[in-house]
Amino acid sequence: MKSHILITLGAPNSPEGALSTISKTRLDYCKAIFKKGQLILCTGGWGPQFNTAEKPHAEYCKEYLIHKGLSEQDFTEIALSKNTVDDAVKIKAILSNLGQVKLTIITSKFHVERVKLIFNEILANYEMEFKGVDSGLKKTELAALEKHEQQAIATIKQNGLYY
């Protein structure tokens, strides 16, 4: 039987490690669908665009979920990634040690199209489902992120992925 891994993709946190609304909505969804026996893989290391804090973003995510009632045994190792392509690359390396697995990738609705494009190439040999959750952002903030995503998707389609 395949084990089931819930993957929460990283998002910004403050220089002090406080998680953003985007991060919390993804993590809260992960917690809501988590069932005993599943594993959680948190992503995110450091990067000027999302985390300049002392610890890797994924550690703050893991701590948040443990504070919400999960235990250390509910987690795989974290992926110390710096962007979405790096998420998939680092996740693939972690999964190579876990045998047959089914993946649920949790991100924000505005991000899910690009995640599918990237993960369907890099993690093509895995059974995956993608969950896009509401980000909790104001319309103006969301519009800027949606524009960024469309530009990133266009770049990938034009130039391909580099990893």
Side-chain angles (χ1 to χ4, degrees), residues 23-67:
S23 290
K24 289 179 182 178
T25 58
R26 294 175 185 183
L27 294 166
D28 290 341
Y29 182 82
C30 179
K31 170 71 168 80
I33 67 168
F34 176 80
K35 293 178 179 61
K36 273 293 179 200
Q38 295 177 333
L39 290 171
I40 297 171
L41 193 163
C42 297
T43 71
W46 294 272
Q49 75 280 18
F50 74 98
N51 180 26
T52 58
E54 179 182 329
K55 294 193 280 186
H57 174 75
E59 280 294 331
Y60 295 116
C61 294
K62 185 175 172 181
E63 289 171 5
Y64 179 87
L65 289 171
I66 288 172
H67 181 74

Side-chain angles (χ1 to χ4, degrees), residues 65-150:
L65 289 171
I66 288 172
H67 181 74
K68 296 275 187 176
L70 296 175
S71 69
E72 186 73 36
Q73 295 76 22
D74 295 326
F75 295 87
T76 67
E77 67 180 282
I78 61 173
L80 296 174
S81 50
K82 55 187 181 241
N83 57 52
T84 308
V85 173
D86 201 32
D87 283 338
V89 171
K90 298 274 188 334
I91 288 166
K92 186 174 184 178
I94 293 168
L95 296 178
S96 69
N97 301 319
L98 299 177
Q100 290 228 352
V101 294
K102 176 185 177 190
L103 309 175
T104 298
I105 295 94
I106 302 165
T107 191
S108 302
K109 284 182 183 175
F110 70 82
H111 190 227
V112 76
E113 184 181 351
R114 181 159 59 111
V115 171
K116 284 181 180 179
L117 189 64
I118 294 166
F119 281 51
N120 282 332
E121 179 174 325
I122 297 173
L123 298 171
N125 294 329
Y126 291 92
E127 180 183 345
M128 293 180 283
E129 65 177 331
F130 299 88
K131 300 292 183 177
V133 300
D134 286 324
S135 62
L137 297 175
K138 296 175 186 166
K139 285 185 180 183
T140 54
E141 295 172 302
L142 188 56
L145 288 171
E146 288 170 340
K147 182 178 179 183
H148 167 78
E149 288 300 312
Q150 291 309 309

Side-chain angles (χ1 to χ4, degrees), residues 148-161:
H148 167 78
E149 288 300 312
Q150 291 309 309
Q151 291 170 336
I153 290 166
T155 301
I156 291 169
K157 287 180 176 178
Q158 182 177 357
N159 301 325
L161 283 176

